């Protein structure tokens, strides 16, 4: 007897009429038209069953703090960093934990069940580190929270930066972070990349650095990150986040850089909502988009994922934990509007992001965790277009969240009462 049998589901790869059998929290079988006894059955009615969403880049220590102690007036990255510096002395562990847990509730409701969050290690008290480790423990039954030791003020630039970061790792933070473009000089930035990769190699940790989050075409720390990845045999274990300077780089240089990144197995995480908001701020007109070269990186064979980065914090006053909104913005900014391009953007918030986080047992395959989302859409393209309702969210076979289908009741003159579901016809 199965625990759960889902029938008549459409999968992201286009297979229809699929049954997903769940036993002991795992997918026992995926096949067409399976009929087997189960404690629970769910008719998906031809709708999309997708693996859960994954956010590979977030800042949970700052989330939901918008307006504390004031709002970012210029809207720039640098005022955001300054504002975070003003907020840090006012942070309490309890308030931080409360906000983070509230965000995790939003995330689960949106089918987002794995988040990689950077946590600022600049403050020697490591208050935010302890608080997020506590959050990680609390949410573990329903959300995978992976933490990155992030020296926001620069690991070399700030006193005690290296020691604080190492202490955070000792406490159980999972990943080594960095911010080379915020160090005092290019040379110091490169030195920080080398040092942090060596720390990761020695400790057997993954690496995820904020890398070249600027419009400066000469900010080339991604090159050093890729080189150090190869030198230390960290292939497949390293991520460069943001990489927005690549947008403004010389094309010849990029033609040399792309194969280096691909060969080093470095993943790139772009953050479309934040990049389109913060980059190009100092331009008059035309204004740069500033997001990294997503389709070109993908074409070169690089694993590219999209992150949310911020929700209602010193850098960004919008957001709701909806990775479909992230994918929606990503495909617009990258002009990935072909059917293939849109599907790649869906993968950027699901399978590609899971690869960044090294999530084991992720994906719709027999033997993997039964962690998936039933969406009010018939395929990934429609899911992004509608930011479709997450009708059911399952983790390891357990129902975690339900949202009613979005349906409008219409009262149109001359038409009588009717209802409108936003997706009446199959696309394509
Ligand atoms: Fe970030």
């Amino acid at each position: 007897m199965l625990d759960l049998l889902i029938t008549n589901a459409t999968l992201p790869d286009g297979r229809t009429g699929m049954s997903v059998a769940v036993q002991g929290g795992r997918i026992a079988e995926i096949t067409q038209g399976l009929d087997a006894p189960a404690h629970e059955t769910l008719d998906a009615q031809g709708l999309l069953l997708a693996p859960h969403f994954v956010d590979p880049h977030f800042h949970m220590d700052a989330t939901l703090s918008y307006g504390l102690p004031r709002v970012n007036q210029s809207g720039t990255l640098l005022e955001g960093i300054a504002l975070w510096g003003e907020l840090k002395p006012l942070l309490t562990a309890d308030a931080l934990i409360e906000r983070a847990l509230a965000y995790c509730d939003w995330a689960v409701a949106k089918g987002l069940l794995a988040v990689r969050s950077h946590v600022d290690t600049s403050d020697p008290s490591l208050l935010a580190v302890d608080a997020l480790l506590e959050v990680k423990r609390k949410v573990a039954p329903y959300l995978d929270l992976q933490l990155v030791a992030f020296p926001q003020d620069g690991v070399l630039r700030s006193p005690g930066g290296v020691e604080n970061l190492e202490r955070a790792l000792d406490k159980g933070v999972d990943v080594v972070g960095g911010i080379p473009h915020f160090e005092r000089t290019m040379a110091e930035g490169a030195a920080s990349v080398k040092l942090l990769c060596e720390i990761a190699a020695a400790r057997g940790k993954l690496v995820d650095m904020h890398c070249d989050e600027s419009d400066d075409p000469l900010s080339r720390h991604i090159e050093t990150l890729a080189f150090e990845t190869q030198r230390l045999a960290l292939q497949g274990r390293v991520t460069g986040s943001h990489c927005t300077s690549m947008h403004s780089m010389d094309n010849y240089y990029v033609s040399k850089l792309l194969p280096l990144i691909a060969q080093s197995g470095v993943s790139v995480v772009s953050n479309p909502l934040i990049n389109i908001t913060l980059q190009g701020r100092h331009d008059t007109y035309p204004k740069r988009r500033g997001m990294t070269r997503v389709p070109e990186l993908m074409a070169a064979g690089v694993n590219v994922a999209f992150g949310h980065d911020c929700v209602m914090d010193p850098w960004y006053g919008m957001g709701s934990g909806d990775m479909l909104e992230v994918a929606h913005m990503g495909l617009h900014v990258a002009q990935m509007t072909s059917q293939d391009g849109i599907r790649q953007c869906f993968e950027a918030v699901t399978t590609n992001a899971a690869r960044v986080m090294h999530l084991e047992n992720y994906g719709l395959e027999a033997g993997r965790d039964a962690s998936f989302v039933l969406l009010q859409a018939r395929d990934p393209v429609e899911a992004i277009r509608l930011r479709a309702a997450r009708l059911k969210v399952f983790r390891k076979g357990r129902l975690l969240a339900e949202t009613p289908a979005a349906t409008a009741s219409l009262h149109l003159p001359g038409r009588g009462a009717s209802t409108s579901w936003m997706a009446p016809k199959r696309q394509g």
Side-chain angles (χ1 to χ4, degrees):
M1 180 81 99
L2 296 167
D3 295 334
L4 170 67
L5 178 65
I6 298 173
T7 58
N8 197 19
T10 299
L11 304 188
D13 62 12
R15 282 180 288 169
T16 57
M18 300 301 290
S19 301
V20 179
V22 175
Q23 184 78 54
R26 296 283 178 101
I27 296 172
E29 193 179 354
I30 296 192
T31 188
Q32 212 155 22
L34 179 72
D35 189 15
H39 290 294
E40 267 185 80
T41 56
L42 171 64
D43 180 357
Q45 300 183 344
L47 297 176
L48 177 64
L49 188 76
H52 66 78
F53 296 104
V54 178
D55 182 359
H57 188 112
F58 195 63
H59 294 264
M60 206 171 280
D61 48 359
T63 197
L64 307 195
S65 68
Y66 182 73
L68 298 174
R70 62 184 176 82
V71 166
N72 184 334
Q73 290 298 333
S74 68
T76 60
L77 172 64
L78 292 179
E79 186 178 342
I81 293 174
L83 187 46
W84 176 236
E86 291 172 37
L87 176 58
K88 269 195 276 190
L90 311 174
L91 287 176
T92 67
D94 287 348
L96 199 155
I97 290 168
E98 192 182 325
R99 289 194 290 262
L101 289 175
Y103 181 76
C104 290
D105 289 352
W106 294 8
V108 170
K110 295 287 186 185
L112 170 55
L113 300 183
V115 177
R116 172 180 278 185
S117 174
H118 296 253
V119 52
D120 190 352
T121 59
S122 301
D123 176 0
S125 78
L126 297 182
L127 178 142
V129 170
D130 288 331
L132 283 196
L133 283 168
E134 176 67 14
V135 171
K136 179 178 168 153
R137 278 188 289 274
K138 280 187 162 33
V139 301
Y142 53 89
L143 184 144
D144 287 318
L145 177 59
Q146 192 178 69
L147 298 178
V148 185
F150 176 48
Q152 170 79 73
D153 299 337
V155 74
L156 297 179
R157 179 174 171 169
S158 58
V162 179
E163 189 197 342
N164 294 340
L165 179 131
E166 297 234 45
R167 284 171 49 227
L169 296 172
D170 291 341
K171 281 173 177 278
V173 171
D174 309 280
V175 182
V176 178
I179 186 165
H181 57 278
F182 199 67
E183 303 290 353
R184 285 293 191 190
T185 64
M186 285 293 173
E188 285 279 280
S192 77
V193 172
K194 184 168 182 287
L195 171 72
L196 291 162
C197 285
E198 285 170 355
I199 290 173
R203 288 174 175 260
K205 297 279 191 185
L206 303 177
V207 176
D208 187 343
M209 288 190 203
H210 284 64
C211 208
D212 308 318
E213 189 182 3
S214 81
D215 295 316
D216 175 6
L218 297 178
S219 187
R220 295 175 169 186
H221 297 297
I222 183 65
E223 176 189 89
T224 308
L225 185 63
F227 180 81
E228 289 299 319
T229 298
Q230 288 187 328
R231 184 177 72 85
L232 296 162
L234 291 170
Q235 289 93 336
R237 304 177 58 79
V238 176
T239 298
S241 283
H242 291 292
C243 301
T244 51
S245 74
M246 203 184 297
H247 186 96
S248 301
M249 282 175 182
D250 172 74
N251 287 332
Y252 175 76
Y253 174 70
V254 172
S255 74
K256 188 164 161 274
L257 178 63
L258 288 175
L260 174 67
I261 298 173
Q263 283 160 19
S264 66
V266 168
S267 289
V268 170
V269 171
S270 176
N271 298 292
L273 293 166
I274 307 311
N275 299 152
I276 198 66
T277 303
L278 296 181
Q279 302 309 311
R281 276 272 167 171
H282 301 284
D283 293 350
T284 53
Y285 286 93
K287 281 182 187 287
R288 277 169 285 194
R289 293 167 189 234
M291 192 169 82
T292 197
R293 302 189 189 200
V294 173
E296 292 79 6
L297 283 159
M298 286 179 169
V302 176
N303 181 47
V304 182
F306 289 155
H308 207 316
D309 200 7
C310 304
V311 170
M312 298 183 72
D313 68 10
W315 295 273
Y316 189 61
M318 309 294 285
S320 62
D322 184 352
M323 296 307 291
L324 286 174
E325 188 179 321
V326 173
H328 188 263
M329 179 61 79
L331 75 89
H332 282 79
V333 178
Q335 299 182 327
M336 293 173 72
T337 48
S338 69
Q339 292 281 304
D340 282 349
I342 298 169
R343 286 172 191 278
Q344 284 178 307
C345 290
F346 190 82
E347 287 167 6
V349 295
T350 51
T351 49
N352 296 3
R355 204 169 301 138
V356 167
M357 286 185 66
H358 282 220
L359 293 183
E360 293 171 7
N361 301 317
Y362 179 87
L364 295 183
E365 283 181 39
R368 306 281 176 88
D369 286 342
S371 302
F372 35 65
V373 185
L374 182 66
L375 291 140
Q376 190 190 358
R378 295 177 178 90
D379 58 42
V381 175
E382 194 170 73
I384 294 179
R385 182 173 70 80
L386 299 173
R387 269 78 78 219
R390 282 65 164 174
L391 301 174
K392 309 259 185 197
V393 179
F394 291 91
R395 183 178 188 269
K396 297 184 181 177
R398 175 194 284 248
L399 181 65
L400 292 184
E402 292 174 279
T403 299
T407 307
S409 297
L410 300 178
H411 312 280
L412 305 179
R415 298 270 306 276
S418 62
T419 56
S420 169
W421 197 74
M422 282 297 289
K425 284 183 188 162
R426 189 160 184 85
Q427 294 169 334

mmCIF file of all heavy atoms in Angstrom, residues 9-44:
data_model
loop_
_atom_site.group_PDB
_atom_site.id
_atom_site.type_symbol
_atom_site.label_atom_id
_atom_site.label_comp_id
_atom_site.label_asym_id
_atom_site.label_seq_id
_atom_site.Cartn_x
_atom_site.Cartn_y
_atom_site.Cartn_z
ATOM 1 N N ALA A 9 -0.638 13.886 -13.700
ATOM 2 C CA ALA A 9 0.201 15.084 -13.564
ATOM 3 C C ALA A 9 0.979 15.323 -14.853
ATOM 4 O O ALA A 9 1.328 14.390 -15.577
ATOM 5 C CB ALA A 9 1.183 14.901 -12.398
ATOM 6 N N THR A 10 1.248 16.618 -15.114
ATOM 7 C CA THR A 10 2.170 16.985 -16.184
ATOM 8 C C THR A 10 3.503 17.335 -15.530
ATOM 9 O O THR A 10 3.529 18.026 -14.508
ATOM 10 C CB THR A 10 1.628 18.196 -16.966
ATOM 11 O OG1 THR A 10 0.373 17.828 -17.548
ATOM 12 C CG2 THR A 10 2.587 18.612 -18.063
ATOM 13 N N LEU A 11 4.586 16.842 -16.089
ATOM 14 C CA LEU A 11 5.908 17.111 -15.506
ATOM 15 C C LEU A 11 6.603 18.238 -16.285
ATOM 16 O O LEU A 11 6.245 18.518 -17.438
ATOM 17 C CB LEU A 11 6.754 15.838 -15.528
ATOM 18 C CG LEU A 11 6.137 14.610 -14.835
ATOM 19 C CD1 LEU A 11 7.161 13.469 -14.768
ATOM 20 C CD2 LEU A 11 5.622 14.944 -13.439
ATOM 21 N N PRO A 12 7.595 18.871 -15.684
ATOM 22 C CA PRO A 12 8.267 19.990 -16.371
ATOM 23 C C PRO A 12 8.871 19.600 -17.723
ATOM 24 O O PRO A 12 8.996 20.438 -18.611
ATOM 25 C CB PRO A 12 9.366 20.397 -15.382
ATOM 26 C CG PRO A 12 8.864 19.970 -14.055
ATOM 27 C CD PRO A 12 8.081 18.714 -14.301
ATOM 28 N N ASP A 13 9.236 18.335 -17.891
ATOM 29 C CA ASP A 13 9.827 17.926 -19.173
ATOM 30 C C ASP A 13 8.775 17.662 -20.246
ATOM 31 O O ASP A 13 9.107 17.257 -21.368
ATOM 32 C CB ASP A 13 10.728 16.694 -18.992
ATOM 33 C CG ASP A 13 9.964 15.464 -18.497
ATOM 34 O OD1 ASP A 13 8.720 15.476 -18.505
ATOM 35 O OD2 ASP A 13 10.632 14.493 -18.095
ATOM 36 N N GLY A 14 7.487 17.871 -19.907
ATOM 37 C CA GLY A 14 6.431 17.770 -20.908
ATOM 38 C C GLY A 14 5.657 16.469 -20.874
ATOM 39 O O GLY A 14 4.625 16.338 -21.545
ATOM 40 N N ARG A 15 6.126 15.487 -20.105
ATOM 41 C CA ARG A 15 5.367 14.233 -20.016
ATOM 42 C C ARG A 15 4.014 14.492 -19.358
ATOM 43 O O ARG A 15 3.953 15.215 -18.357
ATOM 44 C CB ARG A 15 6.149 13.189 -19.217
ATOM 45 C CG ARG A 15 7.275 12.528 -20.014
ATOM 46 C CD ARG A 15 8.010 11.506 -19.167
ATOM 47 N NE ARG A 15 8.834 12.151 -18.133
ATOM 48 C CZ ARG A 15 9.412 11.502 -17.129
ATOM 49 N NH1 ARG A 15 9.238 10.197 -17.002
ATOM 50 N NH2 ARG A 15 10.173 12.140 -16.253
ATOM 51 N N THR A 16 2.952 13.903 -19.917
ATOM 52 C CA THR A 16 1.605 14.114 -19.376
ATOM 53 C C THR A 16 1.019 12.782 -18.897
ATOM 54 O O THR A 16 1.544 11.713 -19.223
ATOM 55 C CB THR A 16 0.668 14.706 -20.455
ATOM 56 O OG1 THR A 16 0.655 13.811 -21.570
ATOM 57 C CG2 THR A 16 1.136 16.074 -20.908
ATOM 58 N N GLY A 17 -0.058 12.914 -18.123
ATOM 59 C CA GLY A 17 -0.740 11.710 -17.632
ATOM 60 C C GLY A 17 0.121 10.884 -16.701
ATOM 61 O O GLY A 17 -0.033 9.659 -16.605
ATOM 62 N N MET A 18 0.997 11.532 -15.987
ATOM 63 C CA MET A 18 1.968 10.804 -15.168
ATOM 64 C C MET A 18 1.436 10.542 -13.755
ATOM 65 O O MET A 18 0.758 11.375 -13.158
ATOM 66 C CB MET A 18 3.283 11.588 -15.057
ATOM 67 C CG MET A 18 3.944 11.856 -16.403
ATOM 68 S SD MET A 18 4.328 10.349 -17.314
ATOM 69 C CE MET A 18 5.649 9.686 -16.304
ATOM 70 N N SER A 19 1.788 9.393 -13.249
ATOM 71 C CA SER A 19 1.479 9.042 -11.862
ATOM 72 C C SER A 19 2.775 9.050 -11.059
ATOM 73 O O SER A 19 3.816 8.596 -11.546
ATOM 74 C CB SER A 19 0.871 7.642 -11.786
ATOM 75 O OG SER A 19 -0.301 7.578 -12.557
ATOM 76 N N VAL A 20 2.664 9.580 -9.849
ATOM 77 C CA VAL A 20 3.823 9.605 -8.956
ATOM 78 C C VAL A 20 3.449 8.846 -7.692
ATOM 79 O O VAL A 20 2.532 9.247 -6.970
ATOM 80 C CB VAL A 20 4.235 11.053 -8.617
ATOM 81 C CG1 VAL A 20 5.428 11.065 -7.672
ATOM 82 C CG2 VAL A 20 4.546 11.841 -9.892
ATOM 83 N N ALA A 21 4.129 7.740 -7.466
ATOM 84 C CA ALA A 21 3.864 6.906 -6.293
ATOM 85 C C ALA A 21 4.861 7.257 -5.191
ATOM 86 O O ALA A 21 6.059 7.345 -5.447
ATOM 87 C CB ALA A 21 3.999 5.433 -6.673
ATOM 88 N N VAL A 22 4.337 7.469 -3.973
ATOM 89 C CA VAL A 22 5.172 7.892 -2.849
ATOM 90 C C VAL A 22 5.095 6.865 -1.725
ATOM 91 O O VAL A 22 4.005 6.427 -1.343
ATOM 92 C CB VAL A 22 4.718 9.272 -2.324
ATOM 93 C CG1 VAL A 22 5.507 9.668 -1.084
ATOM 94 C CG2 VAL A 22 4.847 10.323 -3.415
ATOM 95 N N GLN A 23 6.254 6.509 -1.237
ATOM 96 C CA GLN A 23 6.330 5.540 -0.140
ATOM 97 C C GLN A 23 7.493 5.935 0.773
ATOM 98 O O GLN A 23 8.601 6.144 0.292
ATOM 99 C CB GLN A 23 6.577 4.139 -0.717
ATOM 100 C CG GLN A 23 6.583 3.022 0.280
ATOM 101 C CD GLN A 23 5.180 2.617 0.700
ATOM 102 O OE1 GLN A 23 4.336 2.320 -0.128
ATOM 103 N NE2 GLN A 23 4.924 2.632 1.997
ATOM 104 N N GLY A 24 7.206 6.090 2.052
ATOM 105 C CA GLY A 24 8.266 6.401 3.013
ATOM 106 C C GLY A 24 8.997 7.698 2.722
ATOM 107 O O GLY A 24 10.206 7.805 2.968
ATOM 108 N N GLY A 25 8.282 8.683 2.192
ATOM 109 C CA GLY A 25 8.887 9.991 1.946
ATOM 110 C C GLY A 25 9.658 10.090 0.651
ATOM 111 O O GLY A 25 10.159 11.158 0.297
ATOM 112 N N ARG A 26 9.777 8.971 -0.051
ATOM 113 C CA ARG A 26 10.516 8.957 -1.319
ATOM 114 C C ARG A 26 9.568 8.677 -2.483
ATOM 115 O O ARG A 26 8.496 8.102 -2.292
ATOM 116 C CB ARG A 26 11.589 7.861 -1.301
ATOM 117 C CG ARG A 26 12.683 8.050 -0.260
ATOM 118 C CD ARG A 26 13.667 9.096 -0.731
ATOM 119 N NE ARG A 26 14.718 9.344 0.252
ATOM 120 C CZ ARG A 26 15.942 8.848 0.172
ATOM 121 N NH1 ARG A 26 16.271 8.065 -0.823
ATOM 122 N NH2 ARG A 26 16.843 9.143 1.081
ATOM 123 N N ILE A 27 10.013 9.042 -3.681
ATOM 124 C CA ILE A 27 9.274 8.685 -4.886
ATOM 125 C C ILE A 27 9.591 7.222 -5.188
ATOM 126 O O ILE A 27 10.753 6.868 -5.431
ATOM 127 C CB ILE A 27 9.681 9.580 -6.073
ATOM 128 C CG1 ILE A 27 9.308 11.038 -5.775
ATOM 129 C CG2 ILE A 27 9.018 9.101 -7.359
ATOM 130 C CD1 ILE A 27 9.837 12.034 -6.785
ATOM 131 N N ALA A 28 8.539 6.381 -5.135
ATOM 132 C CA ALA A 28 8.749 4.953 -5.387
ATOM 133 C C ALA A 28 8.788 4.679 -6.888
ATOM 134 O O ALA A 28 9.544 3.830 -7.359
ATOM 135 C CB ALA A 28 7.639 4.133 -4.727
ATOM 136 N N GLU A 29 7.950 5.415 -7.613
ATOM 137 C CA GLU A 29 7.840 5.160 -9.043
ATOM 138 C C GLU A 29 7.200 6.347 -9.730
ATOM 139 O O GLU A 29 6.308 6.986 -9.169
ATOM 140 C CB GLU A 29 6.966 3.899 -9.254
ATOM 141 C CG GLU A 29 7.011 3.344 -10.648
ATOM 142 C CD GLU A 29 6.136 2.086 -10.799
ATOM 143 O OE1 GLU A 29 5.601 1.598 -9.786
ATOM 144 O OE2 GLU A 29 6.003 1.610 -11.946
ATOM 145 N N ILE A 30 7.669 6.648 -10.936
ATOM 146 C CA ILE A 30 6.987 7.640 -11.782
ATOM 147 C C ILE A 30 6.721 6.974 -13.110
ATOM 148 O O ILE A 30 7.654 6.549 -13.797
ATOM 149 C CB ILE A 30 7.848 8.904 -12.003
ATOM 150 C CG1 ILE A 30 8.104 9.643 -10.698
ATOM 151 C CG2 ILE A 30 7.140 9.849 -12.979
ATOM 152 C CD1 ILE A 30 8.680 11.025 -10.865
ATOM 153 N N THR A 31 5.457 6.877 -13.452
ATOM 154 C CA THR A 31 5.114 6.209 -14.703
ATOM 155 C C THR A 31 3.768 6.714 -15.185
ATOM 156 O O THR A 31 3.050 7.398 -14.446
ATOM 157 C CB THR A 31 5.108 4.676 -14.511
ATOM 158 O OG1 THR A 31 4.955 4.047 -15.762
ATOM 159 C CG2 THR A 31 3.981 4.248 -13.573
ATOM 160 N N GLN A 32 3.420 6.382 -16.408
ATOM 161 C CA GLN A 32 2.151 6.850 -16.949
ATOM 162 C C GLN A 32 1.021 5.922 -16.491
ATOM 163 O O GLN A 32 1.156 4.691 -16.569
ATOM 164 C CB GLN A 32 2.221 6.862 -18.472
ATOM 165 C CG GLN A 32 1.396 7.957 -19.104
ATOM 166 C CD GLN A 32 1.930 8.343 -20.460
ATOM 167 O OE1 GLN A 32 2.635 7.575 -21.102
ATOM 168 N NE2 GLN A 32 1.619 9.534 -20.909
ATOM 169 N N GLY A 33 -0.050 6.549 -15.986
ATOM 170 C CA GLY A 33 -1.282 5.800 -15.728
ATOM 171 C C GLY A 33 -1.198 4.672 -14.710
ATOM 172 O O GLY A 33 -1.845 3.642 -14.863
ATOM 173 N N LEU A 34 -0.416 4.849 -13.674
ATOM 174 C CA LEU A 34 -0.299 3.824 -12.636
ATOM 175 C C LEU A 34 -1.574 3.778 -11.795
ATOM 176 O O LEU A 34 -2.121 4.808 -11.431
ATOM 177 C CB LEU A 34 0.914 4.122 -11.741
ATOM 178 C CG LEU A 34 1.170 3.152 -10.591
ATOM 179 C CD1 LEU A 34 1.682 1.822 -11.121
ATOM 180 C CD2 LEU A 34 2.176 3.736 -9.605
ATOM 181 N N ASP A 35 -2.029 2.579 -11.487
ATOM 182 C CA ASP A 35 -3.181 2.418 -10.602
ATOM 183 C C ASP A 35 -2.770 1.450 -9.506
ATOM 184 O O ASP A 35 -2.544 0.273 -9.767
ATOM 185 C CB ASP A 35 -4.378 1.883 -11.406
ATOM 186 C CG ASP A 35 -5.649 1.903 -10.574
ATOM 187 O OD1 ASP A 35 -5.658 2.579 -9.518
ATOM 188 O OD2 ASP A 35 -6.620 1.233 -10.964
ATOM 189 N N ALA A 36 -2.623 1.967 -8.308
ATOM 190 C CA ALA A 36 -2.195 1.109 -7.196
ATOM 191 C C ALA A 36 -2.865 1.607 -5.932
ATOM 192 O O ALA A 36 -3.177 2.793 -5.815
ATOM 193 C CB ALA A 36 -0.666 1.173 -7.061
ATOM 194 N N PRO A 37 -3.119 0.719 -4.972
ATOM 195 C CA PRO A 37 -3.768 1.157 -3.726
ATOM 196 C C PRO A 37 -2.858 2.103 -2.937
ATOM 197 O O PRO A 37 -1.641 1.880 -2.867
ATOM 198 C CB PRO A 37 -4.001 -0.158 -2.965
ATOM 199 C CG PRO A 37 -3.049 -1.148 -3.568
ATOM 200 C CD PRO A 37 -2.806 -0.727 -4.974
ATOM 201 N N ALA A 38 -3.472 3.158 -2.397
ATOM 202 C CA ALA A 38 -2.702 4.143 -1.633
ATOM 203 C C ALA A 38 -3.574 4.709 -0.528
ATOM 204 O O ALA A 38 -4.797 4.775 -0.663
ATOM 205 C CB ALA A 38 -2.231 5.268 -2.552
ATOM 206 N N HIS A 39 -2.951 5.102 0.568
ATOM 207 C CA HIS A 39 -3.702 5.723 1.665
ATOM 208 C C HIS A 39 -4.343 7.027 1.208
ATOM 209 O O HIS A 39 -5.432 7.381 1.642
ATOM 210 C CB HIS A 39 -2.768 5.979 2.857
ATOM 211 C CG HIS A 39 -2.329 4.729 3.538
ATOM 212 N ND1 HIS A 39 -3.207 3.910 4.212
ATOM 213 C CD2 HIS A 39 -1.117 4.135 3.642
ATOM 214 C CE1 HIS A 39 -2.560 2.873 4.720
ATOM 215 N NE2 HIS A 39 -1.287 2.977 4.376
ATOM 216 N N GLU A 40 -3.619 7.757 0.345
ATOM 217 C CA GLU A 40 -4.139 9.021 -0.165
ATOM 218 C C GLU A 40 -3.926 9.084 -1.658
ATOM 219 O O GLU A 40 -2.869 8.668 -2.150
ATOM 220 C CB GLU A 40 -3.342 10.185 0.449
ATOM 221 C CG GLU A 40 -3.930 10.776 1.702
ATOM 222 C CD GLU A 40 -3.131 11.991 2.142
ATOM 223 O OE1 GLU A 40 -3.328 13.060 1.571
ATOM 224 O OE2 GLU A 40 -2.273 11.816 3.025
ATOM 225 N N THR A 41 -4.892 9.636 -2.363
ATOM 226 C CA THR A 41 -4.700 9.850 -3.805
ATOM 227 C C THR A 41 -5.022 11.305 -4.126
ATOM 228 O O THR A 41 -5.834 11.952 -3.454
ATOM 229 C CB THR A 41 -5.601 8.937 -4.653
ATOM 230 O OG1 THR A 41 -6.958 9.151 -4.256
ATOM 231 C CG2 THR A 41 -5.238 7.477 -4.498
ATOM 232 N N LEU A 42 -4.374 11.799 -5.152
ATOM 233 C CA LEU A 42 -4.589 13.179 -5.579
ATOM 234 C C LEU A 42 -4.599 13.209 -7.101
ATOM 235 O O LEU A 42 -3.609 12.826 -7.738
ATOM 236 C CB LEU A 42 -3.455 14.074 -5.039
ATOM 237 C CG LEU A 42 -3.398 15.508 -5.552
ATOM 238 C CD1 LEU A 42 -4.638 16.291 -5.120
ATOM 239 C CD2 LEU A 42 -2.138 16.213 -5.044
ATOM 240 N N ASP A 43 -5.728 13.639 -7.665
ATOM 241 C CA ASP A 43 -5.834 13.786 -9.118
ATOM 242 C C ASP A 43 -5.309 15.178 -9.493
ATOM 243 O O ASP A 43 -5.904 16.197 -9.127
ATOM 244 C CB ASP A 43 -7.298 13.630 -9.544
ATOM 245 C CG ASP A 43 -7.467 13.768 -11.056
ATOM 246 O OD1 ASP A 43 -6.468 14.041 -11.754
ATOM 247 O OD2 ASP A 43 -8.617 13.608 -11.526
ATOM 248 N N ALA A 44 -4.199 15.218 -10.199
ATOM 249 C CA ALA A 44 -3.581 16.505 -10.553
ATOM 250 C C ALA A 44 -4.318 17.200 -11.695
ATOM 251 O O ALA A 44 -4.004 18.343 -12.018
ATOM 252 C CB ALA A 44 -2.115 16.290 -10.922
#
